[in-house]
Amino acid sequence: MSDAYCPDCKRSTEVVFDHSAGDTVCSECGLVLEAHSIDETSEWRTFANESNENDPVRVGGPTNPLLTDGGLSTVIAKPNGAQGEFLSSSLGRWQNRGSNPDRSLILAFRTIATMADRLGLVATIKDRANEIYKKVEDLKSIRGRNQDAILAACLYIACRQEDRPRTVKEICSVANGATKKEIGRAKEFIVKQLEVEMGQSMEMGTIHAGDFLRRFCSHLGMTNQAVKAAQEAVQKSEELDIRRSPISIAAAVIYMITQLSDEKKPLKDISLATGVAEGTIRNSYKDLYPYASRLIPTSFAKEEDLKNLCSP
């Protein structure tokens, strides 16, 4: 109940809302203060088939502007155990006649969603990847190309544009068999096609070593203190002229930090967690080693502790 001014009582009184009639009634004199009002709040009534289910949803899925019909087309379901009978029935014939023109798009979007879910990516990245694929598909230039590589490349580009980059190896792990080389080629092809269509360079976002660091540290089970030290070291490394990829720098910093911590990590484990070859990590570590005193926070390791670092 809530309070409202009642003209009969000449003062503010408690009112009762009658949901069935939509009336607001004074609790003291019974005067109807408002009739047939509309309840604009959410409806949580259960419309599930089973009484023990608690599913308040009674509406369809959201519309998809990338599809011709907004994603709200009707599909006639097949009865259980009636595969052959359904196809020969009148319902089956009508379903085939009214085939969805966006069927290939829907399948592509589902594949992108599956890959994104396996990588733990947010919905905005899925939507961006869908938009990129729709643009490329509209150009009719991907026929005959590896579809899995194209979809994986769209997801890779979307991650870059949304400032949540993933390595090609991470994308490859969920790409249904597409290799790193195929995904790389597909990415270059998509970027080239869209740049020609837009008439300008395509914004891909800048990759920093810090974009990958926390995720790599989590895979290795590093302590919070070690993670903070690695993050500070990575930030300082951007001030140096180290001509290595951000992923390689992140892996080398992790190797450096773990050598100074109580829980040392083998180079093989770091290579598996980061996707960077052991030789590449060694070479990157060799480039960072002369600057160790500048990179490592004094709160994590003292000057004399740096002597325990393995020489490259």
Side-chain angles (χ1 to χ4, degrees):
M1 292 189 296
S2 59
D3 293 343
Y5 181 79
C6 177
D8 279 7
C9 299
K10 307 295 183 181
R11 59 188 174 84
S12 181
T13 62
E14 285 190 348
V15 296
V16 179
F17 184 73
D18 185 356
H19 292 271
S20 60
D23 297 339
T24 303
V25 183
C26 174
S27 62
E28 295 191 10
C29 67
L31 177 69
V32 177
L33 303 178
E34 185 178 0
H36 306 296
S37 58
I38 298 175
D39 184 4
E40 298 180 350
T41 60
S42 301
E43 180 180 36
W44 295 112
R45 181 177 171 187
T46 299
F47 287 86
N49 294 328
E50 300 295 335
S51 58
N52 59 347
E53 291 183 8
N54 185 20
D55 181 14
V57 179
R58 61 175 289 185
V59 296
T63 59
N64 189 339
L66 300 179
L67 301 177
T68 304
D69 55 10
L72 300 179
S73 60
T74 300
V75 177
I76 304 173
K78 300 180 180 65
N80 292 333
Q83 180 74 20
E85 297 176 4
F86 174 78
L87 294 177
S88 60
S89 66
S90 58
L91 287 178
R93 289 194 296 271
W94 276 110
Q95 178 64 56
N96 291 333
R97 289 176 187 175
S99 59
N100 193 336
D102 294 326
R103 182 172 297 176
S104 61
L105 271 180
I106 294 173
L107 293 175
F109 293 167
R110 286 177 182 171
T111 303
I112 289 175
T114 301
M115 291 191 294
D117 290 341
R118 291 175 64 185
L119 289 173
L121 302 176
V122 296
T124 53
I125 295 179
K126 297 180 194 177
D127 295 340
R128 179 61 65 90
N130 290 344
E131 292 174 9
I132 295 171
Y133 179 80
K134 180 66 165 61
K135 291 178 181 178
V136 177
E137 203 269 347
D138 287 344
L139 297 176
K140 308 296 182 184
S141 57
I142 58 175
R143 292 178 180 176
R145 294 185 174 272
N146 188 328
Q147 180 76 351
D148 292 327
I150 292 291
L151 295 174
C154 290
L155 190 60
Y156 174 82
I157 295 171
C159 290
R160 290 277 300 270
Q161 292 184 341
E162 291 294 324
D163 294 326
R164 294 292 184 271
R166 292 294 187 272
T167 65
V168 177
K169 190 167 185 177
E170 287 178 300
I171 299 293
C172 183
S173 66
V174 298
N176 299 325
T179 64
K180 289 173 59 178
K181 183 178 291 186
E182 289 172 336
I183 295 174
R185 290 174 178 171
K187 188 262 291 185
E188 296 298 331
F189 171 78
I190 291 172
V191 171
K192 183 178 179 181
Q193 291 292 315
L194 294 183
E195 285 182 343
V196 171
E197 177 68 15
M198 295 185 300
Q200 60 183 12
S201 60
M202 186 175 180
E203 181 62 37
M204 289 284 288
T206 305
I207 295 180
H208 301 280
D211 296 331
F212 308 95
L213 190 73
R214 180 170 287 276
R215 191 164 66 255
F216 292 163
C217 292
S218 176
H219 294 334
L220 290 165
M222 295 171 60
T223 63
N224 290 334
Q225 184 182 9
V227 173
K228 290 179 181 179
Q231 288 178 319
E232 188 172 338
V234 160
Q235 291 177 353
K236 293 179 180 178
S237 69
E238 294 183 356
E239 302 172 2
L240 306 175
D241 186 19
I242 306 295
R243 299 186 179 181
R244 295 282 177 179
S245 71
I247 303 172
S248 300
I249 292 176
V253 166
I254 290 174
Y255 179 68
M256 182 180 292
I257 293 295
T258 55
Q259 296 308 304
L260 295 170
S261 65
D262 296 332
E263 299 179 358
K264 292 180 171 55
K265 304 293 182 182
L267 187 59
K268 182 179 180 181
D269 291 351
I270 298 175
S271 176
L272 290 173
T274 61
V276 182
E278 294 183 26
T280 304
I281 297 177
R282 288 195 190 93
N283 292 333
S284 301
Y285 175 74
K286 187 184 298 183
D287 294 340
L288 293 175
Y289 182 79
Y291 308 100
S293 59
R294 293 174 55 183
L295 297 176
I296 307 298
T298 55
S299 58
F300 183 77
K302 304 299 181 183
E303 190 71 30
E304 55 271 16
D305 296 331
L306 296 179
K307 299 176 182 178
N308 297 328
L309 277 175
C310 299
S311 58

